[in-house]
Amino acid sequence: MENDAATLYCPNENCQAANPLTHKFCQRCSTPLPKNYLWAAVDGLSLGNPGKILADRYLIVDKFVLLDTKPGLLTLTPELENLHIPRAYLRLIPYRLHVPQVYGVLALADDLSGQEILLLEKPPLLLDRTTQQVDLGNELTTDWRDATSMRQLNWLWQIAHLWQPLASEGVASSLLDSYVLRVEGSLVRLLELRFDTDTSPELPELGKFWQQLIDNAKPAITEFIDRISLSLIQGEIHSSEQLITVLDRGLAELGRSQTPTIKIITKTDTGPSRQRNEDACSPHSGTLVSKPPQPTALAIVCDGIGGHEGGNVASNLAIETIQQQVQQLTKVPYDHIDPSLLLSDLEKAVAMANDKISQRNDTENRQGRQRMGTTLVMALPVAHEMYITHVGDSRAYWITRQGCYQVTLDDDVASREVRLGYAIYREAVQQSSAGSLVQALGMGPSTSLHPTSARFMLDEDAIFLLTSDGLSDFDRVEEYWETEILPILLGETNITNVADRLVEIANTKNGHDNVTVALVHYQVQYWEPEITVKAVIPQSYSAKTVDLASRATDAALISSPNQKTQVIEESLPTKTSQFPLQWIVLLLFVLAAGTVGLFVRQLRSQSGPFPVISSNPTATPNPTVIATQPPRTLVNLAPGWVIQTNNQIPLGENQPLAAKSFLEVIETKPNPKPASGDFLVLVRVCTNKSTPTPAPSQAPSSSKPVLKTGERVLIKFSQLKSFGVSVLQSSTPNPCRTVNQPPVTQPDETSPT
């Protein structure tokens, strides 16, 4: 319980008035009063009784939970290298939805022997909004028994996604410690990181930990968890990607018992200080879209760069391009969607938008600051999942009854500094040029673009807010989500009124830029299934673990003192006295000279956030092991293989495949009519050599075009055999990798003939 006698100081540097803890706004200047709760990462030491003030600033709330009573002040004054801050916290900032970030360091003398105590922000807490009682969130093992089967698998799915990035930083042990493994509603949250000993834990240890959960698992998934735990222990599941694939299938089965209803509203406004609106959104501003009856629900927010006849052109061109691509992707029935391929296809859609804007720049001979571009954030709900893709500093927030969570990380200098381990975020954002973008659509070819795509499992009602920085600047979302957005989930207002209110807040509280918001209201009805979910351990798998920490960034910065975002020309200013931005500027010079291109490519190819460089220059690398594989034949057809048609295959009278066409096998599927003894093969068209001339009796209708490069189709295995298909061997150059294909689209996969 908090100390009622304690005071909370206004963060406004021109005010700094003392306020009672119960106040939400400063009683003198009406500035919102943030309550920054912190977790003190300290082993076995007592910080004192609740109500005690540490360092004339930190109020002890409960054991190791503190409240910063002076949130307007920075915590650190010494240089970062002089403080004992584990770099793992900083490098894992892309996973801050689960991993706490460093708030500062508390140095106490005498009673704690001068030990530096790491302060971590936003610990998992249970807040009673009526009594203002604050308690530490429960351990996962405590809340496990009362969770639905969907939520139980959702928690395991999040742990599986965290395994590889945490293992690469030497902190995978955090996922095996029930004390630090907490939950906040549907989210898995870590209190702090547990650093691995000399021997890092492996997946069999995760399987043993999960075995403890079997007894209290819901009946529908008891056998499922037992099976995957045993498979982890025995090494049958030998990678986190394979584990994610198994969990994906289990969640898809449970998802049949979940019925979502989705509403989307967008709103864009020029703002009080701009003459034109360079933002754009989809659906069109003010339009309310519901699914059902609409088959697709897609929300996009773009914030244009480049001034008149620039930013608005780029933002609208991006939305038009992505809309066309996503319409094709969502025509595929959910049962046929591979999550990893959908993530990849969304990134390809963004790449196509980037190239169209970039080509427009080149055609109009726009250079340097005159090049137009745009940021992007979009949300695509599919069944029980939400797919988020973003580039730049337009953000996505996930609001539940438990809290408000920023799920995207700005592509700016401050975030890059933290990822590189140079600074904590609260200090990095205070540096000059901290908000300068490191990438946006249209600034160059898509080969140098690195969009972030991620997906989230939804097992409860939620709001996703997409917004340009006209609203998100100055932490307006964090200040107002509880009073303005949470009432939607409580049934006290509707999203149309809230969208109008958010634009009003942006214009009155910020007012420096255009503002665009999109609200996605996801409502769910769920019932426990009577079926028993079976775990199928695949021999091959294609699940995509998005390693957000390893994404490299472009050398070009985007910034301007007069404009929100603008391209900095190649002649960059000399380094400043600030550290570590001076190193970043120096790095930009080197990148511009092209001398570390190879190093950057190596960074991008690493499976973890950063390459591990051996301290022994004479160490011998591991030898390459060459295994003899059996020849590829049609009998043992497998995903990833390439086949060539020897004859034309008439897939219905309107969609023939020409002879000598190359097809990439995506996966094999059971036939809807199992009695036939046949099965289906999903293939991607790499090349369709020519438009075949039909026989007079088989003149095709013009209602559908011939299958094009990049499209997918289901074909019966018996058809492949009867029309003659050759399988390319692994030693043969792969035409599906050498052909410059356009981004993949996904037409209707109708039942094959």
Side-chain angles (χ1 to χ4, degrees):
M1 177 67 70
E2 296 174 3
N3 183 355
D4 294 334
T7 54
L8 190 59
Y9 291 87
C10 178
N12 185 344
E13 62 180 7
N14 297 321
C15 177
Q16 300 184 13
N19 296 269
L21 294 181
T22 54
H23 284 208
K24 294 184 178 180
F25 297 89
C26 177
Q27 56 192 354
R28 177 187 296 175
C29 70
S30 299
T31 298
L33 298 172
K35 283 196 171 183
N36 294 341
Y37 291 101
L38 310 172
W39 175 256
V42 55
D43 294 330
L45 295 174
S46 175
L47 296 179
N49 296 323
K52 180 181 178 181
I53 301 290
L54 301 178
D56 194 32
R57 177 171 182 175
Y58 300 102
L59 171 67
I60 300 178
V61 176
D62 182 20
K63 202 172 182 179
F64 302 122
V65 178
L66 308 177
L67 174 66
D68 186 1
T69 64
K70 298 179 180 178
L73 301 180
L74 290 179
T75 307
L76 297 179
T77 51
E79 295 290 349
L80 183 65
E81 64 267 21
N82 297 328
L83 297 170
H84 303 296
I85 296 180
R87 294 302 197 271
Y89 284 101
L90 307 179
R91 292 170 178 168
L92 290 171
I93 190 175
Y95 303 92
R96 62 179 177 177
L97 191 62
H98 312 282
V99 178
Q101 281 299 292
V102 177
Y103 188 85
V105 173
L106 172 61
L108 296 179
D110 300 332
D111 54 341
L112 293 178
S113 302
Q115 180 178 357
E116 293 176 345
I117 300 173
L118 198 63
L119 301 180
L120 305 176
E121 65 180 17
K122 299 177 182 178
L125 298 176
L126 300 175
L127 174 63
D128 189 320
R129 293 185 175 88
T130 302
T131 64
Q132 297 300 306
Q133 175 71 33
V134 176
D135 295 304
L136 194 60
N138 291 333
E139 297 178 16
L140 181 148
T141 52
T142 300
D143 280 6
W144 176 265
R145 180 191 298 272
D146 298 325
T148 64
S149 54
M150 189 77 179
R151 179 160 294 185
Q152 287 180 342
L153 279 198
N154 185 4
W155 285 340
L156 300 187
W157 182 85
Q158 293 174 57
I159 293 172
H161 270 275
L162 288 170
W163 183 265
Q164 182 56 43
L166 265 64
S168 67
E169 291 295 335
V171 290
S173 299
S174 310
L175 301 174
L176 304 176
D177 189 328
S178 59
Y179 178 74
V180 302
L181 196 61
R182 305 277 169 156
V183 290
E184 195 169 273
S186 62
L187 288 177
V188 172
R189 305 285 309 283
L190 298 177
L191 271 180
E192 57 185 87
L193 295 178
R194 291 284 189 258
F195 288 82
D196 302 339
T197 57
D198 295 338
T199 304
S200 299
E202 302 289 346
L203 283 174
E205 294 178 59
L206 182 63
K208 293 177 182 177
F209 181 72
W210 284 6
Q211 274 190 330
Q212 306 172 31
L213 305 173
I214 295 173
D215 290 342
N216 292 322
K218 285 293 184 288
I221 59 173
T222 300
E223 181 180 334
F224 181 92
I225 297 178
D226 187 25
R227 176 77 171 87
I228 61 176
S229 298
L230 188 61
S231 297
L232 286 167
I233 294 172
Q234 296 178 344
E236 188 178 3
I237 297 178
H238 46 77
S239 73
S240 58
E241 291 85 356
Q242 189 181 9
L243 176 59
I244 292 168
T245 300
V246 178
L247 291 168
D248 272 335
R249 294 178 180 179
L251 285 163
E253 190 71 23
L254 291 175
R256 303 176 191 273
S257 300
Q258 184 164 297
T259 304
T261 302
I262 300 158
K263 292 183 179 180
I264 296 177
I265 188 71
T266 59
K267 189 77 172 180
T268 186
D269 191 82
T270 303
S273 62
R274 298 287 185 178
Q275 294 182 350
R276 66 185 66 88
N277 193 351
E278 298 181 41
D279 290 3
C281 57
S282 177
H284 186 72
S285 180
T287 304
L288 179 65
V289 173
S290 299
K291 177 186 177 182
Q294 295 297 322
T296 303
L298 172 67
I300 311 175
V301 166
C302 287
D303 185 351
I305 303 166
H308 182 55
E309 292 300 324
N312 59 325
V313 173
S315 57
N316 282 284
L317 184 56
I319 285 180
E320 177 186 349
T321 304
I322 290 172
Q323 279 179 325
Q324 294 173 353
Q325 295 300 305
V326 173
Q327 282 178 354
Q328 296 296 321
L329 296 176
T330 54
K331 287 182 179 179
V332 180
Y334 173 72
D335 290 345
H336 292 169
I337 291 178
D338 182 325
S340 63
L341 292 179
L342 180 54
L343 283 171
S344 177
D345 288 342
L346 289 173
E347 292 180 0
K348 290 176 182 177
V350 173
M352 177 177 283
N354 174 84
D355 288 343
K356 284 193 175 183
I357 300 170
S358 184
Q359 290 165 8
R360 179 79 171 261
N361 280 323
D362 295 340
T363 301
E364 298 178 4
N365 197 28
R366 292 174 178 260
Q367 302 295 330
R369 296 178 183 271
Q370 282 69 48
R371 288 184 74 86
M372 60 183 177
T374 183
T375 68
L376 165 87
V377 60
M378 64 179 179
L380 176 65
V382 179
H384 57 280
E385 298 179 87
M386 183 66 74
Y387 289 76
I388 300 290
T389 303
H390 109 285
V391 174
D393 62 355
S394 290
R395 294 179 178 179
Y397 292 86
W398 184 1
I399 294 97
T400 69
R401 288 180 175 86
Q402 289 76 36
C404 174
Y405 311 95
Q406 182 182 331
V407 297
T408 56
L409 183 64
D410 295 347
D411 290 320
D412 60 13
V413 171
S415 298
R416 184 173 63 179
E417 277 201 304
V418 180
R419 282 204 308 269
L420 294 173
Y422 291 159
I424 67 169
Y425 189 76
R426 294 185 76 239
E427 292 231 322
V429 296
Q430 302 297 321
Q431 304 284 354
S432 61
S433 300
S436 300
L437 300 183
V438 295
Q439 65 171 356
L441 298 186
M443 296 305 162
S446 58
T447 53
S448 60
L449 187 73
H450 305 279
T452 302
S453 291
R455 58 193 177 106
F456 307 91
M457 294 294 165
L458 304 179
D459 60 28
E460 64 179 335
D461 293 356
I463 303 287
F464 280 82
L465 167 65
L466 313 183
T467 178
S468 63
D469 61 355
L471 173 65
S472 62
D473 278 352
F474 306 108
D475 298 328
R476 300 305 180 195
V477 176
E478 290 81 358
E479 290 176 0
Y480 288 98
W481 76 270
E482 190 172 350
T483 57
E484 306 300 333
I485 303 177
L486 181 60
I488 300 176
L489 297 175
L490 302 179
E492 298 171 357
T493 186
N494 60 69
I495 61 172
T496 302
N497 292 339
V498 172
D500 292 336
R501 174 62 179 148
L502 293 176
V503 170
E504 179 186 351
I505 290 172
N507 287 337
T508 56
K509 300 298 182 180
N510 289 347
H512 62 292
D513 200 359
N514 310 142
V515 57
T516 303
V517 299
L519 289 167
V520 183
H521 186 194
Y522 185 97
Q523 294 176 284
V524 60
Q525 291 182 337
Y526 178 79
W527 59 94
E528 279 295 327
E530 298 179 357
I531 61 170
T532 298
V533 179
K534 303 290 185 181
V536 178
I537 313 301
Q539 296 301 314
S540 61
Y541 47 91
S542 60
K544 178 181 179 182
T545 302
V546 183
D547 190 355
L548 303 177
S550 66
R551 296 190 309 113
T553 52
D554 279 340
L557 300 183
I558 304 166
S559 179
S560 171
N562 301 319
Q563 229 173 306
K564 192 247 337 163
T565 45
Q566 193 172 25
V567 179
I568 289 181
E569 298 177 5
E570 290 186 4
S571 56
L572 298 173
T574 57
K575 66 180 182 177
T576 66
S577 60
Q578 295 170 336
F579 179 86
L581 281 177
Q582 57 184 355
W583 295 106
I584 290 183
V585 175
L586 178 60
L587 176 60
L588 297 180
F589 274 115
V590 179
L591 286 175
T595 57
V596 295
L598 178 60
F599 174 71
V600 172
R601 288 194 294 272
Q602 290 174 336
L603 277 179
R604 292 174 180 169
S605 66
Q606 297 294 325
S607 60
F610 300 94
V612 178
I613 303 175
S614 173
S615 60
N616 182 5
T618 62
T620 303
N622 293 331
T624 303
V625 179
I626 302 177
T628 303
Q629 298 181 346
R632 298 180 176 182
T633 65
L634 204 58
V635 176
N636 59 348
L637 196 64
W641 292 9
V642 177
I643 57 179
Q644 184 179 24
T645 59
N646 297 323
N647 302 288
Q648 176 184 321
I649 301 180
L651 303 176
E653 61 180 5
N654 298 326
Q655 292 187 321
L657 273 171
K660 304 302 180 182
S661 297
F662 291 104
L663 312 172
E664 183 179 16
V665 178
I666 303 301
E667 65 175 316
T668 58
K669 298 172 174 283
N671 196 307
K673 300 177 181 179
S676 65
D678 203 356
F679 64 93
L680 306 179
V681 181
L682 177 62
V683 298
R684 185 201 313 262
V685 179
C686 299
T687 59
N688 198 1
K689 286 293 184 181
S690 62
T691 303
T693 303
S697 60
Q698 297 178 337
S701 161
S702 61
S703 60
K704 289 187 178 181
V706 174
L707 283 173
K708 298 179 181 179
T709 300
E711 294 189 273
R712 302 177 186 178
V713 65
L714 283 170
I715 308 178
K716 288 183 180 179
F717 179 74
S718 56
Q719 279 186 297
L720 298 178
K721 293 176 59 178
S722 61
F723 284 93
V725 170
S726 302
V727 180
L728 270 65
Q729 300 301 310
S730 58
S731 58
T732 305
N734 189 339
C736 292
R737 295 292 178 263
T738 58
V739 175
N740 184 19
Q741 299 182 6
V744 175
T745 59
Q746 291 180 316
D748 286 317
E749 293 178 1
T750 55
S751 298
T753 56

